[in-house]
Amino acid sequence: MRATLAQQQNGTAFAVTLMEHLAVPTFVLDAEQRVLVWNKACERLTDVRAVDVIGTREHWRAFYERPRPCLADLVATHDETTIDKLYTTYQEPGAPVLGVHAENWCMMPRRGQRLYLAVDAGPVYDADGKLLAVVETLRDITEIKLAESRVQEQASTLREMVDAQQRENELARRIVEHQVRGDLMREAGVQYSVQPATNFSGDIVLAARARNGKLYAILADATGHGLAAAVSVLPIVQEFYRLVELSESLATIVESLNFLLINSLPLGRFVAAALVCVDQQAGHGEVWVGGVPSVLLLGEDGAVLRKFSSRHLPLGISRDREDLGAPQAFFWEAESQLLMLSDGVAEAADPSGQPYGEARLIEALAAMDGRSLIDAVSASVQAHLQGQAAHDDISLLVIDCPAPRG
């Protein structure tokens, strides 16, 4: 029995010595919450010497300016319900014997410094289940906590910036859309579709009737896409409407829009476009194409009757009138339609990177099956994309060319 008692005493002494030399700040309370162990690491963390707290209940002075329980005290008194009132975060124990984890800011009066500590406290019981001691370990995770706070602050700032940007984008989008006269589009009787690749479309589709009854239309595609492209194409809107109101010739409109863009856009920005003027009663019209895919004159069955390819530089590049060229005249005798589209249609790529191309467009036109041109082409492009987002704006404009009267 004496040998057993001696072994127990030796084992206890070894455990105390081991704790005193642990690299982790550790202190131990007995069942009456008096300090049994206050190791070297705990002295370094708190600037409180072991000799000043061993045998006392004054361990709180190392962490707080006024008396309050430490986590080990709450474990010793089985007062887990108070933890959420005293600690910023804590992990509720699955069973009391497993101990408790908590975190909190501590003032550390002796150090004159505020630290964020991660605390673990666990009870030690004898063979009969009687509480012998509570071991509390401490980790200084102030830098981690401050880093987390900085990340949270940055995330909050970023969210505020994103929200503000979204509000500004929405306002800008409404301003851009407000420039397009929906009433004039309806009076013109055209069909159109604009699918932006981002919040803003760098494509713009306009149509209006002049006083003489002729129908004017433009499909413009500014450099790039998004807000910058939308702003680039915006200057031509009101000028187009003004010139149509004056019943100016298509050549004059092209020249005027080119002059406007050259003097309003920065270097490297330009607007590819197709412009059309048709006299639907007389059965003739003009087409000017600069930098966008060919304008197609289609029969009732979707067959291509004539293709007007791009012959000119986009608008906003050259001041030379010769670079603008002249519109191409055309006539039709039976009911037809003009199809204008942006290069986002031809360049729409499937997951393997294969572009949609003109050949697929011709196939889609030949297989409309009673659908409108807009629906047939849009469905064909979406099928080609296979659920993938388009990388550029996709715009279509269809103008009816009814059979001439008389």
Side-chain angles (χ1 to χ4, degrees), residues 126-394:
D126 64 13
D128 298 323
K130 180 182 178 181
L131 179 68
L132 297 177
V134 179
V135 180
E136 179 167 317
T137 59
L138 307 151
R139 287 181 296 120
D140 179 6
I141 58 172
T142 306
E143 290 302 318
I144 296 175
K145 184 64 177 180
L146 292 175
E148 289 177 353
S149 297
R150 287 193 291 269
V151 170
Q152 291 173 355
E153 290 173 2
Q154 291 170 355
S156 177
T157 300
L158 181 59
R159 281 194 299 270
E160 291 174 0
M161 292 174 62
V162 170
D163 290 343
Q165 183 66 49
Q166 288 178 340
R167 289 193 296 270
E168 291 178 1
N169 285 348
E170 179 61 20
L171 176 60
R173 185 183 63 80
R174 291 183 180 181
I175 292 173
V176 171
E177 291 179 348
H178 187 69
Q179 301 300 306
V180 178
R181 293 280 303 277
D183 57 331
L184 297 182
M185 297 288 282
R186 289 189 293 272
E187 290 175 9
V190 298
Q191 304 169 53
Y192 65 97
S193 172
V194 178
Q195 301 174 37
T198 61
N199 289 335
F200 299 93
S201 175
D203 295 355
I204 198 163
V205 174
L206 306 173
R209 288 192 183 275
R211 294 177 181 177
N212 58 15
K214 291 184 179 180
L215 172 61
Y216 291 79
I218 179 173
L219 186 152
D221 182 0
T223 311
H225 47 80
L227 181 57
V231 171
S232 297
V233 79
L234 199 56
I236 71 173
V237 177
Q238 297 305 321
E239 182 67 0
F240 173 80
Y241 289 140
R242 186 184 72 83
L243 295 169
V244 171
E245 177 70 18
L246 296 174
S247 300
E248 294 286 359
S249 67
L250 192 63
T252 298
I253 293 177
V254 170
E255 183 179 337
S256 298
L257 295 183
N258 183 67
F259 178 82
L260 175 65
L261 291 172
I262 283 178
N263 289 281
S264 63
L265 296 183
L267 186 65
R269 290 282 176 178
F270 55 85
V271 177
L275 291 94
V276 171
C277 174
V278 295
D279 186 332
Q280 292 172 309
Q281 293 186 354
H284 63 78
E286 292 180 305
V287 177
W288 184 93
V289 186
V292 296
S294 301
V295 174
L296 305 177
L297 179 64
L298 306 172
E300 287 188 274
D301 59 355
V304 178
L305 304 177
R306 186 170 176 181
K307 180 165 68 173
F308 303 93
S309 300
S310 175
R311 296 182 177 181
H312 315 294
L313 292 175
L315 302 173
I317 293 180
S318 174
R319 296 181 181 273
D320 193 335
R321 291 184 178 181
E322 293 184 1
D323 289 333
L324 295 178
Q328 304 174 63
F330 70 100
F331 301 85
W332 68 90
E333 296 180 353
E335 187 169 331
S336 310
Q337 287 182 307
L338 277 174
L339 174 63
M340 305 161 68
L341 44 87
S342 65
D343 58 9
V345 176
E347 295 174 2
D350 65 13
S352 68
Q354 186 69 28
Y356 181 72
E358 188 175 280
R360 288 186 178 84
L361 173 64
I362 301 301
E363 291 177 4
L365 297 175
M368 288 193 294
D369 296 328
R371 293 176 293 175
S372 69
L373 278 176
I374 297 287
D375 291 342
V377 175
S378 296
S380 178
V381 171
Q382 292 304 317
H384 180 72
L385 287 171
Q386 298 180 35
Q388 194 167 260
H391 296 296
D392 198 3
D393 307 319
I394 295 177

